[in-house]
Amino acid sequence: MSFEPGSDLYACAQIVERGDPERFAAAMAAPVSARTVLFPLYAFNVEVSRAPWVTQEPMIARMRLQWWQDALAEITSGGFVRRHEVVTPLAQALAGVDVAPLQAAIEAREADLEHAPFADEGALMAYLDQTAGHLAVAAMAALGTADVRQAEVRAHAKAAALARYLQAVPALEAHGKLPLPDGRAETIAALAKARLDDLRAVPSLRSLRRRYGPAGAALREFAQGRALLQRAAQDPAAVAEGRLRLSEFQRRWRLLLG
């Protein structure tokens, strides 16, 4: 597969660059062979994640999510797969891979159709695990490592996903969503600290990347998670004020060390 302009892979990379700059940077830091897997998966994630937000009609949003469920069903059947700039390379990337985690990730996006907040912290973290965690597990399987210690990978996935979610709070509120069960500063700080405690109980990203070899490229997307949560724990007001971010130098440095 080629990344030449006009190719499906090039289209996937453009979708990720526009819709998910953090994962785009992580994929670009990976070997070219890994990009042929990561860009279709990340483009799929962009398309699924924005489905609930491109229309005011819940029924249309559900139809969009079902379209992707149907595409995954075609991929796993091994027969006809619809021609599409994301689905076509995704089918190649997922050849022989269990797509159940990605199907569960689509189902979790149903929560984005609701304006009400998650019932509690557990419900929020389950949503983040089902989206970011499932995507990471599928990416590692597609890169050749099915035997993953999921608790370790998912700890990093949930931490990074929470950091991204906290960054998105102002935008979610602008769309009429109540994103957090409890938006008080002390609650946000405690939520960030809990995920930092989870990270202390598992190997570092660098250790996991060494352990999993080529499949470790799927872990680069979590590089900012710890640092952003540290900031949220120390300055929770940054969440509501839209200040939860790292400098460009810090982003690149953490991506390099990942």
Side-chain angles (χ1 to χ4, degrees):
M1 291 190 288
S2 167
F3 279 98
E4 292 297 317
S7 69
D8 289 337
L9 283 175
Y10 186 82
C12 287
Q14 287 188 310
I15 290 170
V16 179
E17 184 177 21
R18 292 192 300 265
D20 195 342
E22 185 177 344
R23 285 191 174 96
F24 176 80
M28 288 300 294
V32 174
S33 58
R35 292 179 209 167
T36 64
V37 169
L38 295 177
F39 275 129
L41 273 166
Y42 292 166
F44 157 84
N45 187 63
V46 170
E47 295 294 329
V48 169
S49 65
R50 71 185 181 188
W53 305 103
V54 296
T55 176
Q56 296 291 324
E57 297 294 333
M59 182 62 68
I60 295 176
R62 288 189 173 91
M63 290 172 63
R64 289 177 179 271
L65 293 175
Q66 186 59 50
W67 190 94
W68 286 101
Q69 289 282 23
D70 294 343
L72 288 180
E74 291 171 2
I75 290 172
T76 199
S77 72
F80 167 82
V81 176
R82 64 194 66 190
R83 175 73 186 92
H84 184 270
E85 63 184 2
V86 176
V87 177
T88 301
L90 184 66
Q92 296 182 55
L94 294 176
V97 174
D98 181 10
V99 302
L102 298 179
Q103 292 171 321
I106 295 175
E107 291 173 6
R109 292 292 176 183
E110 291 273 346
D112 293 332
L113 300 175
E114 304 293 335
H115 291 294
F118 290 97
D120 51 32
E121 177 184 331
L124 171 60
M125 294 314 304
Y127 164 82
L128 296 176
D129 181 45
Q130 289 161 1
T131 52
H134 284 335
L135 181 68
V137 169
M140 295 185 75
L143 288 169
T145 301
D147 185 18
V148 174
R149 296 181 185 177
Q150 292 201 20
E152 298 174 351
V153 171
R154 287 178 181 276
H156 285 282
K158 287 187 287 186
L162 176 62
R164 292 186 187 117
Y165 193 80
L166 293 177
Q167 286 181 305
V169 161
L172 291 170
E173 290 177 337
H175 277 88
K177 173 82 172 179
L178 297 175
L180 296 170
D182 184 341
R184 291 177 298 172
E186 58 267 31
T187 306
I188 291 173
L191 188 60
K193 289 175 182 175
R195 301 290 78 74
L196 289 169
D197 287 342
D198 291 344
L199 291 182
R200 294 186 188 98
V202 299
S204 68
L205 275 179
R206 192 183 302 183
S207 296
L208 291 179
R209 282 179 52 206
R210 284 198 299 265
R211 178 195 298 168
Y212 292 114
L219 303 174
R220 284 186 180 274
E221 61 151 310
F222 306 141
Q224 292 188 61
R226 185 190 297 271
L228 286 171
L229 290 183
Q230 288 171 337
R231 292 202 169 193
Q234 295 165 0
D235 181 16
V239 172
E241 296 170 8
R243 296 185 287 103
L244 186 61
R245 57 183 176 270
L246 304 180
S247 69
E248 186 61 24
F249 172 79
Q250 289 172 315
R251 287 181 64 250
R252 292 181 180 274
W253 180 247
R254 290 189 175 279
L255 186 63
L256 178 66
L257 293 181

